[in-house]
Amino acid sequence: MSKRKRTSRKSGPSLFKRIVSVVTRVFLWFLMVSVLWVLAYRFINPPITLLMVLRNIERKTDGKPGKMEKEWVDFEDISDNMKRAAVSAEDQLFLKHIGFDVKAIEKAFQTNKKGKKVKGGSTISQQTAKNVFLWPGRSWVRKGFEAYFTLLIEMLWSKERILEVYLNVIEMGDGIYGAGAAAQAYFGKSCTRLSRSQAALIAACFPNPRRWTPKRPTQYIKHRQYLILKNMRRLGPLDF
């Protein structure tokens, strides 16, 4: 009996150490791969996102053909109107925060706690991290990864790069991704030549681009466009 007890005592810590060792190695591998991945995308344009893949799977499930309209536009070639419209619509403190708008998150939390319509408090940095590196969803696990990747891109990318990637991968319609493809689809012109009104109309549809479209703006979208234009005037030029 005493020998068995001694054996079990010895095997216990040994098993625990092995588990700790495996978990530590997995964590370090994840840390290394994620940092290298984010660092690579500082210089390499993301070719595709998980959301794009999932949307195409949804289309095929519904019996529709695959659709992925996207055209990468470099930061300097994106209309200043589109940049300012995006910041005015989604994240007016974009140039000041380090990835998170605490007041917006608190406000969203209070709204959701009251049982009202679910409202997000995501910054452009958070949306970029989610769109490029993660899957769509609202779980706490995904939110944790989102916070981690948000901090990484804020540390390893410039604000210009974050906004450039955001405006090139964000969903802007059914099978339409990025400002370049959106400008062509809705106004038949280059993203470089978008007017203030056109950029604000595209940005007004950001919250639900598959429900709303700049081609047939509802009264609600027109009102959002008006507010975005107002914010653009108050925001002025973006000082990167």
Side-chain angles (χ1 to χ4, degrees):
M1 285 290 288
S2 60
K3 282 185 180 179
R4 283 180 186 173
K5 281 183 181 178
R6 264 187 248 124
T7 307
S8 64
R9 279 184 197 137
K10 285 180 183 178
S11 64
S14 175
L15 178 63
F16 177 74
K17 283 179 182 177
R18 284 202 297 271
I19 292 171
V20 169
S21 175
V22 170
V23 170
T24 303
R25 267 181 272 174
V26 169
F27 175 74
L28 290 174
W29 270 103
F30 169 74
L31 208 62
M32 185 179 70
V33 170
S34 59
V35 170
L36 289 174
W37 191 10
V38 172
L39 195 57
Y41 276 178
R42 177 179 175 176
F43 308 101
I44 302 167
N45 299 330
I48 198 168
T49 67
L50 185 56
L51 178 65
M52 295 175 189
V53 174
L54 291 175
R55 289 289 189 243
N56 263 307
I57 292 172
E58 286 174 11
R59 287 183 66 88
K60 289 184 178 180
T61 303
D62 294 337
K64 299 177 183 176
K67 183 182 178 185
M68 196 185 295
E69 294 179 17
K70 61 189 182 75
E71 174 193 345
W72 191 273
V73 183
D74 292 334
F75 185 79
E76 58 272 17
D77 295 325
I78 299 172
S79 164
D80 186 60
N81 291 322
M82 189 68 251
K83 296 170 190 171
R84 294 197 301 126
V87 173
S88 297
E90 296 292 294
D91 186 3
Q92 293 174 43
L93 297 176
F94 174 64
L95 294 179
K96 297 178 181 177
H97 62 61
I98 56 167
F100 308 94
D101 184 343
V102 178
K103 287 185 180 178
I105 292 170
E106 287 176 353
K107 189 177 177 182
F109 178 76
Q110 292 300 326
T111 303
N112 298 339
K113 201 165 80 168
K114 290 174 184 175
K116 294 181 181 178
K117 187 179 178 182
V118 176
K119 184 179 179 182
S122 295
T123 62
I124 283 175
S125 301
Q126 286 175 275
Q127 291 181 54
T128 304
K130 174 190 72 176
N131 287 332
V132 176
F133 300 103
L134 301 171
W135 64 96
R138 290 183 178 276
S139 70
W140 287 109
V141 172
R142 205 224 57 177
K143 274 290 178 187
F145 280 117
E146 181 185 300
Y148 170 71
F149 278 104
T150 298
L151 287 172
L152 277 187
I153 66 173
E154 280 283 344
M155 287 190 294
L156 299 175
W157 297 1
S158 64
K159 287 287 187 180
E160 291 99 320
R161 181 57 174 169
I162 293 172
L163 189 57
E164 177 187 29
V165 173
Y166 174 75
L167 287 173
N168 274 288
V169 302
I170 186 173
E171 187 177 30
M172 293 192 179
D174 185 17
I176 299 169
Y177 303 92
Q184 288 292 342
Y186 300 128
F187 302 109
K189 60 165 63 175
S190 162
C191 175
T192 311
R193 295 174 49 240
L194 284 172
S195 68
R196 290 174 70 254
S197 178
Q198 290 167 339
L201 190 55
I202 290 174
C205 299
F206 278 3
N208 197 335
R210 295 201 296 169
R211 176 182 175 187
W212 299 311
T213 171
K215 282 188 174 180
R216 295 180 299 279
T218 62
Q219 283 302 118
Y220 171 71
I221 291 301
K222 287 177 182 177
H223 180 63
R224 272 184 60 83
Q225 180 194 28
Y226 163 75
L227 293 176
I228 291 167
L229 286 167
K230 194 175 175 182
N231 288 335
M232 286 170 72
R233 284 191 290 272
R234 188 176 61 201
L235 186 68
L238 294 174
D239 187 18
F240 286 100

